[in-house]
Amino acid sequence: MELFALLCSAVIFVLEIGVALGSNNIYKDIFQNYAKELIPTWNVPTPLKLSINAAPSTIVSFTELEEKLTMTMSITVNWTDHRLTWNPTLYNNTHVLTIPPHDIWLPYLYLANSVNDVKPIGQEADFYVILVTNGMVYWTPGGVFEAQCASDVSKFPFDTQFCSFIFTMWGILPGEVEYDVYSKVPDLKYFFANSDWTVIDTYQNGSLIGGDSSAFVVGISIKRKPVYYVVTVILPTLLFCLMNPLIFCLPVESGERISLGMTILLAYAIFLTIVAASIPAKSDPLCIVLLVLVCIMMVSGVIVILTIISAYYYYMEDISHANPCLRNLTLRFKQKQNFRDKLNLEENKDTNSNSFSDSSFSGKDLSKTLDIIFCVISFVLFIGILSAYFLYILIA
Ligand SMILES: *[C@@H]1O[C@H](CO)[C@@H](O)[C@H](O)[C@H]1NC(C)=O
Ligand SMILES: *[C@@H]1O[C@H](CO)[C@@H](O)[C@H](O)[C@H]1NC(C)=O
Ligand SMILES: *[C@@H]1O[C@H](CO)[C@@H](O)[C@H](O)[C@H]1NC(C)=O
């Protein structure tokens, strides 16, 4: 009995080996006389047709400073290698095989506009290859790609960036490979939304670069989600712009005017630092928000100077040297005020409307007139600058 059991297990063992050999045989049969160093079309004059499709999955980051878009993406390539065909009936109707990539010719695609080391994609991991009985080979390598793309930050933080990933094969003669895209747009089935950027447009096509070498190009347009910069930069700037001219409404005696003016000036400097830190230092179209902040800062600086001028008049004792225009204007303001007072107090007859002269007002009145003028001018300036900025954002 024991002998019989031993015999049985031996037979089963031999059978198992046979099955294993059977599935091994197809691999050996297919790859005998196969030279993986040779391109499938090495002996025919027609170009190798590569069907190709990109499937972006995430936007890792876009760095304006380095002008670099980092994206994870997989690329499905399929081609026909006539050397790799078999008869399925001889192999228990096996139509599809999944094999490791080491033994087969693969297209070495490079990212031409990479900011990193230039190395063929799909080499750092074993992306398995699917083989179909008629010689069709499907290969889907993927990775993190970092492409250089010029950034246009003129509309920051409402900007849209465009970036293209140019994949090409090096070391082959021009015209030896043809790219044929599955569709005009990449496959976004596996795409995960990014919290900073919205994808607004994508395309892919096979095109010529540098005149004669063909390349596979994936283009992507992304739009920044501006909420962060609106909340941290634009809204506070608006608030300070409204607040800044109100300095002229503070009483001169309080002594708070200059310090408030300086505080606001410093706040602008901080916003300028925040914005300047997140955009490229050297950008051909200048970032308009930077320009706007610099203009606002200049107006704010001028406001501090005007505050000092106003204070100077406020404490002026002898106003006969003051600017005659300013004295005239002050006189006019005073007359108007007196006229109003007279309307209010009809019985107050002792006011002589013709008795106004330089002596009837002081430096304080001059300073008050200046305050009104400066306040209005700075308001108009701020509103002008801001509305010009928003018009530019909306129209351009
Ligand atoms: C690639 O695969 C697609 C779909 O399976 C097929 O239509 C196309 O002809 C293949 N391309 C090549 C070059 O074999
Ligand atoms: C052949 O395939 C059939 C199912 O299609 C399976 O039941 C059978 O075990 C296979 N034979 C071998 C030798 O692998
Ligand atoms: C590829 O698509 C882009 C955008 O649609 C287009 O500008 C470009 O001309 C196309 N290239 C080719 C070779 O079709």
Side-chain angles (χ1 to χ4, degrees):
M1 280 303 267
E2 267 180 19
L3 198 70
F4 179 69
L6 203 69
L7 209 66
C8 274
S9 55
V11 167
I12 290 171
F13 183 67
V14 168
L15 274 179
E16 270 175 0
I17 286 183
V19 170
L21 279 178
S23 65
N24 267 346
N25 275 344
I26 185 171
Y27 197 86
K28 275 193 186 137
D29 291 351
I30 291 173
F31 283 99
Q32 72 178 354
N33 299 328
Y34 181 80
K36 69 164 185 172
E37 291 81 11
L38 294 177
I39 188 166
T41 52
W42 66 275
N43 54 353
V44 283
T46 48
L48 177 68
K49 210 171 185 184
L50 287 182
S51 290
I52 195 161
N53 194 39
S57 50
T58 53
I59 295 172
V60 180
S61 65
F62 178 80
T63 21
E64 300 85 357
L65 278 171
E66 294 161 53
E67 306 203 319
K68 165 179 103 175
L69 176 64
T70 311
M71 237 168 72
T72 33
M73 185 154 52
S74 65
I75 292 167
T76 301
V77 200
N78 69 306
W79 64 96
T80 308
D81 196 335
H82 291 293
R83 299 170 291 177
L84 302 173
T85 52
W86 70 90
N87 185 351
T89 50
L90 297 181
Y91 302 98
N92 200 15
N93 282 323
T94 307
H95 288 273
V96 177
L97 275 185
T98 303
I99 58 165
H102 316 294
D103 293 336
I104 191 167
W105 179 88
L106 296 172
Y108 280 171
L109 290 164
Y110 295 82
L111 180 62
N113 59 341
S114 170
V115 293
N116 273 334
D117 223 7
V118 179
K119 50 183 183 217
I121 65 172
Q123 297 307 303
E124 58 283 348
D126 287 351
F127 295 100
Y128 271 50
V129 173
I130 294 172
L131 219 56
V132 185
T133 169
N134 61 358
M136 195 101 89
V137 187
Y138 288 86
W139 185 49
T140 308
V144 180
F145 299 108
E146 297 189 319
Q148 197 274 336
C149 35
S151 52
D152 174 3
V153 286
S154 57
K155 281 187 177 183
F156 180 90
F158 304 97
D159 52 335
T160 300
Q161 303 293 343
F162 172 76
C163 215
S164 58
F165 292 80
I166 302 166
F167 295 99
T168 184
M169 272 176 77
W170 285 347
I172 56 161
L173 296 174
E176 207 169 346
V177 162
E178 229 171 51
Y179 298 96
D180 181 20
V181 288
Y182 281 33
S183 76
K184 283 199 163 79
V185 286
D187 183 3
L188 294 179
K189 209 163 36 188
Y190 308 106
F191 190 77
F192 294 93
N194 184 281
S195 51
D196 288 335
W197 297 92
T198 326
V199 175
I200 52 172
D201 193 23
T202 52
Y203 78 82
Q204 63 179 7
N205 58 22
S207 56
L208 291 179
I209 53 161
D212 55 356
S213 48
S214 52
F216 169 60
V217 181
V218 182
I220 181 163
S221 289
I222 51 176
K223 189 166 172 40
R224 189 192 304 275
K225 295 183 181 168
V227 180
Y228 173 77
Y229 290 101
V230 167
V231 169
T232 55
V233 177
I234 309 253
L235 284 184
T237 307
L238 275 180
L239 180 70
F240 283 127
C241 278
L242 293 179
M243 207 163 87
N244 210 342
L246 297 183
I247 287 178
F248 295 110
C249 301
L250 283 180
V252 180
E253 292 98 334
S254 74
E256 291 294 327
R257 283 181 160 202
I258 304 287
S259 58
L260 182 59
M262 287 309 294
T263 310
I264 293 178
L265 193 62
L266 289 178
Y268 288 134
I270 291 171
F271 293 140
L272 201 61
T273 319
I274 294 179
V275 176
S278 48
I279 57 164
K282 274 183 270 175
S283 48
D284 184 12
L286 185 68
C287 176
I288 298 298
V289 81
L290 209 64
L291 203 67
V292 167
L293 278 176
V294 169
C295 287
I296 286 176
M297 235 176 104
M298 269 150 73
V299 174
S300 184
V302 169
I303 283 178
V304 173
I305 297 172
L306 294 181
T307 316
I308 294 170
I309 292 175
S310 170
Y312 169 76
Y313 277 108
Y314 189 85
Y315 293 110
M316 187 185 256
E317 253 144 39
D318 179 14
I319 60 163
S320 52
H321 301 301
N323 188 320
C325 265
L326 179 62
R327 287 198 336 236
N328 263 341
L329 214 58
T330 312
L331 200 61
R332 212 128 341 122
F333 271 127
K334 268 228 103 127
Q335 262 169 350
K336 217 184 255 173
Q337 202 180 347
N338 261 62
F339 185 63
R340 229 180 282 139
D341 287 350
K342 234 166 48 183
L343 282 183
N344 289 346
L345 311 156
E346 278 292 354
E347 74 278 2
N348 200 355
K349 290 278 196 273
D350 56 330
T351 332
N352 187 350
S353 64
N354 291 328
S355 72
F356 286 115
S357 66
D358 274 6
S359 55
S360 67
F361 61 91
S362 61
K364 286 187 186 180
D365 295 314
L366 284 181
S367 155
K368 235 173 243 163
T369 313
L370 278 179
D371 283 349
I372 293 168
I373 295 169
F374 292 161
C375 187
V376 169
I377 287 177
S378 49
F379 249 127
V380 168
L381 274 178
F382 279 133
I383 287 173
I385 292 173
L386 290 174
S387 43
Y389 174 64
F390 286 113
L391 269 183
Y392 173 79
I393 293 296
L394 286 178
I395 292 169

